[in-house]
Amino acid sequence: MVIVMNARASDDEVASVTDRVTELGFQAHLSRGSERTIIGVIGDERPVDPEVFEALPGVERVVRILHPAKLASRDFQPEDHVIELPNGAKLGGGQVSVMAGPCAVESREQVEGAAEVVARQGVRILRGGAFKPRTSPYSFQGLGEKGLLLLREVADELGMAVITEVVTPQDVPLVSRHAEMLQVGARNMANFSLLKAVGDSGRPVLLKRGLGSTLDELLQAAEYILAQGNRDVALCERGIRTFETSTRFTLDINAIPVLKQLTSLPVVVDPSHATGKAELVAPVALAGIAAGADGLLVEVHPNPREALSDGAQSLDPEGFAGLMDSVKKLAEALGRTAA
Ligand code: PEP
Ligand code: MN
């Protein structure tokens, strides 16, 4: 961290800042230029909030040198982190992993129909929402525990792992009993008590980027989970809010290579929520993989016209087969495998 003093800072002000730096257990490195004095704070600055120095008289600004999300950073863990699920499915490390299934669990027939469609294409991780965070309180809210049981039964029949969203800290033990992987939705990215609870769950977590969150905020949210001792965190770019109205959200394609630089955690793209339109899912999914994503989260429904949520963006069986065909070809062209 570097503390820049303002041009009129007195010697006393400089001295009281360096005193504060040493009081906090750091070394202060003073550098007096012709117009400005700067004070280098030597030591691991991450546990210290820049506000501690910003409020002191004579300080113009404080510049962080290290990213505040230490455990999430590639500096901390240089090699790609791979998440391994009990059924052998993996996320990260270069292969293209696909998680697919319905937006919401609606009935046994519907989950079974969707799961069979995706399993036929080699998918080993079944997605489906039992607790749905809907914008309107009048929209279908999910089947709750009954939905979890249906997901579990169907996944077991097909040897699949389950990923499903958890929306409150109190539900974490229940959802962890039925699912191999927990999803934290975009609307809950900054729900810090939920992040701590999933961090404590012992389950891998897929953390979705908030609709209006920066990548720094996403990494700091991941840090909450990692700080609980849980290394198995994957990040999901699912589109952010922009002025564009022709799609539901705007997939931030830059986020993928930027995150791959900053962190070794797996990065997944959700082209379904990003676009809101089934016909746009395949091109955006392929762009995500080409940009370096480790996997996809895709909504699939045996009959999207009858879906209780997100039917317009859900792929039908034919659409999903077409997507997987292209994903496999692209993965091969990139020297990666798709599973
Ligand atoms: C979902 O994946 O089911 C979902 C609700 O997505 P998001 O949190 O990205 O809106
Ligand atoms: Mn959905």
Side-chain angles (χ1 to χ4, degrees), residues 244-322:
E244 183 53 63
T245 54
S246 53
T247 49
R248 193 173 173 190
F249 295 95
T250 300
L251 188 93
D252 178 8
I253 199 83
N254 300 347
I256 302 152
V258 171
L259 287 172
K260 297 295 290 180
Q261 277 175 356
L262 294 176
T263 180
S264 48
L265 300 174
V267 177
V268 167
V269 159
D270 173 351
S272 308
H273 291 90
T275 62
K277 292 179 180 170
E279 70 273 21
L280 301 180
V281 166
V284 170
L286 296 174
I289 295 167
D294 295 288
L296 300 173
L297 182 72
V298 183
E299 290 189 339
V300 179
H301 196 288
N303 188 355
R305 269 172 299 183
E306 288 177 5
L308 295 180
S309 66
D310 289 350
Q313 67 193 36
S314 297
L315 294 181
D316 62 12
E318 203 187 349
F320 187 68

